[in-house]
Amino acid sequence: MTTMNTIQVNDAPFDTVPVDGSEVIQKHSRSFAVAARLLPVAIRQDVQRLYAWCRWCDDAVDSCDDQSIARGRLKLLRSDVVRIYRGQQPHHQASAWLAELVEKYSISRELPLGLLDGMEMDLDLDQFRSEEELLRYCYHAAGVVGLMLCHIFGVTDPRAMRHAKSLGMAMQLTNIARDVREDSERNRCYLPKTWLPEGVDGSSEQQIALAVKRALDLAEQYYEIGNAGIHYLPSGVRRPIRIASAVYREIGLEIRRTGYCVMQGRVVVPKTRFLTTVASAWSSGLFENFNFTSRKLFSPSNSPIHSTAESTELIMNDAKYIFYLGISLTAFMSCAGFMLVALNPKDASYAALPIVYAGVCFAVGVVTNLLAKRAEAPAAVPLRIEDARSQPRDW
């Protein structure tokens, strides 16, 4: 590994990184840390490494008071990404996290480079001019992270891409709403001029509150789109992502409860409400296959989330889902009935028959339940990076 000059990042040398990526996620985000613990063991460490790389890059660039040093670090990190995709060893130790993930999951090159583009936008930022610029930034800062996670999760359906990047953008908008005061102290304003013409310093708290409300209202739209795509994820990943979405969304709700008074201090979700939010999100997916309210059955073709072709497929899948789920429930109920008969047979010569019938009903219930779960998930099609690209207004 190439030795670099020691540069301080948050009181730690720039060329020294934690051995375990989980240290980074535990230190910087309790929301993601809780969700990460619930991920399948096979991918948990890789998700932590991705978060650690993203966070490390952000801190390395964002913590610099000297713009020339920040741009130098960004140039080095961008060079490392290029080296990784050429099959060469990266210069920086933190880039090894990304190198492992790229090799293992074939993450598209445009995504980590896109994240670094977002960091460059930070360096050039005074105040965004329009909502369009804000959304473009949110895509680079967090939307691409959602797309990289899709690779790690094994998502193969390109229709999931819009939902993944939308959820990331919703979380970034929540961050922006929460951190207005901190960003202002660093002479940055992510709330666009069309919302806040005089910036933070030249605006009243009421004007700032209205702009923060607009950011959170916009975030809600993207949470809706993002959460509507959770069914594209593998079953073992859905609950952790649902929890991450819920606890981040709760930050926005807490800001609303305080009257959008973000200039009076950083808004933090109380621990009790945080725990109840986690519990609620966890339990909401506990019986996914038996919860009709968790599915938008027979989605209309004019839905703003689904196209006509996708809605048609969803209707067919929902019909199959209901059919197989109905048989499954009936079979399990019959199994329970036969077991009750077996416990109190009227004729000893027929004592074994109820047990046989119960076994058959149980097997039918299991098979049809699996068929219902298969109908719940969209058919997989090849993943293409083109499906992850779109114009800002098509987020």
Side-chain angles (χ1 to χ4, degrees):
M1 188 70 65
T2 302
T3 302
M4 300 175 55
N5 294 329
T6 299
I7 306 174
Q8 296 296 318
V9 178
N10 289 347
D11 300 323
F14 180 52
D15 60 348
T16 303
V17 298
V19 175
D20 187 356
S22 63
E23 296 178 27
V24 182
I25 198 170
Q26 290 286 348
K27 178 180 178 181
H28 291 285
S29 178
R30 68 169 179 170
S31 303
F32 291 135
V34 170
R37 291 194 197 104
L38 299 175
L39 287 167
V41 176
I43 63 172
R44 184 185 305 156
Q45 190 175 45
D46 291 333
V47 171
Q48 291 171 341
R49 284 172 178 165
L50 177 63
Y51 179 92
W53 178 76
C54 295
R55 185 74 202 198
W56 183 262
C57 291
D58 187 59
D59 284 347
V61 176
D62 215 31
S63 63
C64 291
D65 294 327
D66 189 323
Q67 283 274 339
S68 62
I69 294 177
R71 293 186 186 279
R73 293 178 180 180
L74 184 60
K75 182 178 179 180
L76 182 142
L77 294 169
R78 198 186 299 277
S79 173
D80 269 0
V81 173
V82 174
R83 290 178 65 85
I84 287 169
Y85 283 90
R86 289 177 178 172
Q88 300 171 344
Q89 185 179 18
H91 289 298
H92 198 283
Q93 296 177 49
S95 300
W97 285 325
L98 177 66
E100 293 177 18
L101 300 176
V102 167
E103 181 179 0
K104 188 173 181 179
Y105 298 105
S106 301
I107 295 174
S108 303
R109 169 177 166 163
E110 290 89 342
L111 300 180
L113 287 176
L115 183 75
L116 297 179
D117 288 342
M119 296 177 190
E120 188 169 10
M121 293 174 71
D122 271 326
L123 294 179
D124 297 328
L125 178 66
D126 176 21
Q127 183 180 6
F128 288 130
R129 291 170 295 181
S130 65
E131 183 179 307
E132 196 82 7
E133 285 190 358
L134 170 62
L135 292 177
R136 185 178 293 110
Y137 169 77
C138 289
Y139 167 72
H140 286 290
V144 295
V145 179
L147 297 176
M148 286 191 279
L149 285 172
C150 282
H151 285 267
I152 298 177
F153 294 159
V155 178
T156 57
D157 195 317
R159 292 169 298 184
M161 300 299 102
R162 182 189 182 204
H163 302 285
K165 62 188 177 185
S166 292
L167 188 54
M169 291 172 67
M171 293 178 177
Q172 186 63 31
L173 285 165
T174 302
N175 276 341
I176 288 170
R178 179 192 61 192
D179 298 338
V180 171
R181 178 179 174 178
E182 295 176 21
D183 293 329
S184 176
E185 291 170 353
R186 302 167 65 186
N187 299 315
R188 291 180 182 176
C189 181
Y190 293 90
L191 302 173
K193 285 185 178 294
T194 51
W195 298 358
L196 206 61
E198 302 301 323
V200 174
D201 292 338
S203 302
S204 66
E205 288 200 14
Q206 183 179 8
Q207 290 171 319
I208 295 171
L210 288 173
V212 169
K213 180 181 184 301
R214 291 188 68 169
L216 292 176
D217 289 344
L218 192 58
E220 279 299 306
Q221 297 178 34
Y222 288 104
Y223 277 119
E224 288 294 330
I225 296 173
N227 291 334
I230 289 179
H231 68 283
Y232 286 108
L233 299 175
S235 58
V237 175
R238 293 175 193 169
R239 188 176 291 120
I241 295 303
R242 189 180 288 110
I243 289 173
S245 174
V247 296
Y248 238 85
R249 200 174 195 172
E250 190 64 28
I251 296 172
L253 295 176
E254 188 65 22
I255 293 173
R256 293 182 191 275
R257 293 187 192 102
T258 63
Y260 308 98
C261 297
V262 295
M263 298 303 291
Q264 297 180 10
R266 186 183 180 94
V267 174
V268 178
V269 177
K271 184 173 291 186
T272 301
R273 185 172 290 121
F274 176 84
L275 293 175
T276 56
T277 300
V278 171
S280 177
W282 185 86
S283 62
S284 68
L286 192 58
F287 299 105
E288 286 179 308
N289 282 347
F290 298 95
N291 185 3
F292 286 93
T293 61
S294 69
R295 294 171 57 87
K296 295 183 181 293
L297 298 178
F298 304 112
S299 304
S301 59
N302 62 348
S303 166
I305 294 177
H306 302 293
S307 65
T308 301
E310 187 176 349
S311 294
T312 301
E313 182 178 351
L314 285 173
I315 290 173
M316 294 300 296
N317 282 350
D318 286 336
K320 294 178 183 177
Y321 173 83
I322 293 171
F323 175 74
Y324 288 126
L325 183 61
I327 295 178
S328 178
L329 291 172
T330 302
F332 283 130
M333 291 172 63
S334 300
C335 174
F338 283 122
M339 288 302 297
L340 290 175
V341 173
L343 292 174
N344 188 27
K346 293 184 178 181
D347 191 327
S349 61
Y350 296 102
L353 281 178
I355 297 178
V356 173
Y357 293 153
V360 171
C361 290
F362 182 79
V364 171
V366 170
V367 171
T368 51
N369 183 257
L370 292 174
L371 290 172
K373 181 177 290 188
R374 180 178 297 180
E376 181 186 34
V381 296
L383 177 64
R384 302 174 300 163
I385 186 60
E386 296 83 48
D387 296 295
R389 299 196 190 109
S390 60
Q391 296 302 313
R393 268 295 151 207
D394 190 30
W395 298 125

